[in-house]
Amino acid sequence: MTAPDVPIAAGEDPYALKFPVIALVTSAGGLDALTGVLAPLPPELPAALLVVQHLQPDRPSELAGILAARTGLTVRAAVNDDRLIPGTVLVAPPARHLLVTSDARVGLIDAGALPPARPSADLLLATLAVTCGPRALAVVLTGKGTDAQAGIRAVVHCGGTVLAQDEASSQHFGMPGAAIGTTLVQNVLALPDIAEAIVGHVRAHQG
């Protein structure tokens, strides 16, 4: 027997996460783009941030340490079962996919030896969408390929918002261009304008 559907009461929030979560997804050229987004953000930003940049799976990454030196936010490499904390940036490590779970934590799973891109923006964004709903903000930054197309569809389906970096400020326009091609991106912005848009989203989705 299948369990009966439990109706959601009118006005009840069905999403597990009750504060905004910002996902920054990128590939080639990502270090400069991530720096441009994170450096202007206030350290007390009342939102959790997640970073996925495609990385070589067989090499250690210094991405979290470099970003920590370039922003007032707390930045660290994500570990399995890490709690999402406002004002903290969790960076996906090499060879692991980063997921958002229903109890305001993240999970890391092995990426395996073959594509999809590692870490996967699609997997992160899909799990963020179903746990965060309208509080989710996906930001697609410079990068090669088309990773994030499926993920942003999930974010928008669940009521979230998607931004993409414009071509003029992107070192590689594959990922942002593919995102824009879905027609689901709410705003296409130059890199210097993205931090302000993030702050606006957070203000609109607190509490």
Side-chain angles (χ1 to χ4, degrees):
M1 293 180 62
T2 59
D5 291 336
V6 178
I8 297 173
E12 183 179 344
D13 186 345
Y15 296 101
L17 295 178
K18 306 305 181 186
F19 50 85
V21 181
I22 317 302
L24 307 175
V25 299
T26 185
S27 183
L31 179 58
D32 288 343
L34 290 167
T35 298
V37 173
L38 293 174
L41 291 176
E44 69 279 4
L45 186 75
L49 297 101
L50 299 170
V51 167
V52 157
Q53 180 176 8
H54 297 160
L55 300 168
Q56 290 287 345
D58 57 348
R59 297 180 183 176
S61 172
E62 301 299 326
L63 180 60
I66 294 170
L67 293 176
R70 297 182 178 185
T71 178
L73 295 158
T74 299
V75 183
R76 66 172 185 266
V79 298
N80 190 53
D81 208 34
D82 242 338
R83 181 171 292 280
L84 289 165
I85 300 172
T88 296
V89 183
L90 298 179
V91 179
R96 310 294 296 279
H97 293 310
L98 178 66
L99 312 178
V100 182
T101 66
S102 60
D103 56 354
R105 294 180 183 273
V106 299
L108 296 178
I109 60 173
D110 290 338
L114 299 173
R118 294 168 284 177
S120 167
D122 280 327
L123 286 175
L124 168 60
L125 296 180
T127 56
L128 177 62
V130 298
T131 53
C132 204
R135 298 183 187 89
L137 174 61
V139 183
V140 184
L141 300 170
T142 177
K144 298 179 180 180
T146 61
D147 191 22
Q149 271 194 330
I152 65 173
R153 289 187 174 98
V155 168
V156 173
H157 180 80
C158 294
T161 302
V162 180
L163 307 177
Q165 187 176 354
D166 70 0
E167 185 170 9
S169 66
S170 295
Q171 293 185 38
H172 301 276
F173 196 55
M175 283 177 62
I180 294 164
T182 66
T183 72
L184 297 174
V185 173
Q186 280 86 347
N187 283 297
V188 179
L189 300 170
L191 183 62
D193 299 325
I194 292 175
E196 183 179 356
I198 289 173
V199 171
H201 174 87
V202 172
R203 287 174 178 162
H205 293 87
Q206 288 179 260

